[in-house]
Amino acid sequence: MAYEKIESHDEYLKTVEQYQDYEAGTYQSMTLEEKMDFFDGVHTNRVPLFDEDGDDMDTSDDYYAIRDEFLEHPEQFTLDHILDFIKMLDDDCYQPSFMDTIIRIIHNIACYYQLEGITYLLTHLREVPSRGYEYGLFWSVRSLIKDDSAYPLVKEALVQINSDDSKFVLQILAGTDMPAILGIDSETRRFPLLSECGDEVELKRKSELEDIFSDSAKK
């Protein structure tokens, strides 16, 4: 899982040949882990969706069926599966909607487990790979504070987790210190700033979380 991307067109055509006899519906006999491998394989071009002429293959039907199943049934996953999906994140993925889907899956799993799930996600953010920090850090945390159901759990979790993890969440929302924290070249990879793209509700909630952390640190 968490495959390296296939960049070469010739290598991609080899995968097309490998999957030319694939039949739609095959996913129904796959285990959960096999579905996750297939799912990640699509993102990395190891499972082709299009043939050499650009036409849809039967793999496409199964990819979207698996996607819908993953989104609609978070109960099939354990909390540790969140880490498997985190490892799939890639800010440079050729199809951004794929990464949006992964963030939604992670979000749904965390929310399914309520406070335990939100706490798990917030305390494992440092495990986001460097290639996926924008989606894995910024967009995953933003999705939590935007969600009216999840946000109260975020507030509760923030006072329960250790101060380093709480501080990291707030640094993600601030964004300004993240290049130095992540050890990235800020000139080539700019970390998103909520202050530039967040709406009024998001900015208000960011301020509330900062106050919660400040009050907790004083105790």
Side-chain angles (χ1 to χ4, degrees):
M1 209 173 302
Y3 299 117
E4 291 298 319
K5 285 189 298 187
I6 288 179
E7 304 284 3
S8 163
H9 182 63
D10 288 341
E11 193 172 355
Y12 178 78
L13 291 181
K14 291 179 183 178
T15 68
V16 170
E17 185 176 350
Q18 293 169 5
Y19 280 87
Q20 63 182 353
D21 295 325
Y22 185 94
E23 295 182 359
T26 299
Y27 83 97
Q28 295 179 40
S29 62
M30 294 180 185
T31 66
L32 177 59
E33 301 305 321
E34 288 171 339
K35 290 176 185 176
M36 292 178 68
D37 280 342
F38 184 95
F39 187 72
D40 189 38
V42 168
H43 308 150
T44 54
N45 280 331
R46 293 186 176 275
V47 176
L49 295 183
F50 312 103
D51 63 20
E52 61 271 26
D53 297 319
D55 296 325
D56 286 353
M57 299 176 66
D58 279 4
T59 50
S60 180
D61 292 339
D62 279 11
Y63 172 76
Y64 290 107
I66 290 172
R67 178 202 65 182
D68 292 346
E69 180 183 301
F70 283 3
L71 286 169
E72 295 168 9
H73 297 283
E75 71 277 3
Q76 67 187 304
F77 300 108
T78 67
L79 285 174
D80 287 340
H81 281 121
I82 287 177
L83 297 182
D84 293 324
F85 285 109
I86 279 177
K87 292 174 184 176
M88 298 180 191
L89 294 169
D90 181 358
D91 296 336
D92 294 326
C93 180
Y94 70 95
Q95 180 54 265
S97 65
F98 290 162
M99 298 298 105
D100 291 336
T101 295
I102 293 176
I103 292 302
R104 288 165 60 200
I105 292 170
I106 292 171
H107 180 91
N108 289 355
I109 297 172
C111 290
Y112 174 77
Y113 286 97
Q114 295 291 296
L115 180 59
E116 182 184 8
I118 302 298
T119 300
Y120 184 95
L121 177 54
L122 295 182
T123 55
H124 286 82
L125 290 173
R126 295 181 191 275
E127 297 186 46
V128 170
S130 59
R131 68 177 181 276
Y133 73 71
E134 181 174 340
Y135 281 103
L137 298 178
F138 179 74
W139 286 103
S140 62
V141 172
R142 188 182 181 187
S143 75
L144 292 177
I145 69 167
K146 283 173 66 73
D147 186 325
D148 291 343
S149 297
Y151 179 61
L153 299 175
V154 173
K155 291 197 294 184
E156 189 173 351
L158 204 63
V159 298
Q160 294 186 8
I161 61 180
N162 70 55
S163 60
D164 286 343
D165 288 334
S166 295
K167 184 178 179 181
F168 191 55
V169 172
L170 297 178
Q171 288 170 327
I172 291 168
L173 291 174
T176 51
D177 295 331
M178 292 306 293
I181 293 169
L182 297 172
I184 59 176
D185 183 348
S186 60
E187 293 184 2
T188 58
R189 295 195 71 189
R190 184 173 181 274
F191 196 82
L193 300 179
L194 188 67
S195 59
E196 294 180 354
C197 61
D199 59 27
E200 183 178 349
V201 171
E202 292 174 275
L203 296 177
K204 179 176 181 293
R205 289 177 175 178
K206 170 181 174 291
S207 179
E208 289 176 352
L209 294 179
E210 290 170 338
D211 289 341
I212 290 173
F213 178 76
S214 178
D215 291 343
S216 177
K218 294 175 181 178
K219 295 179 181 180

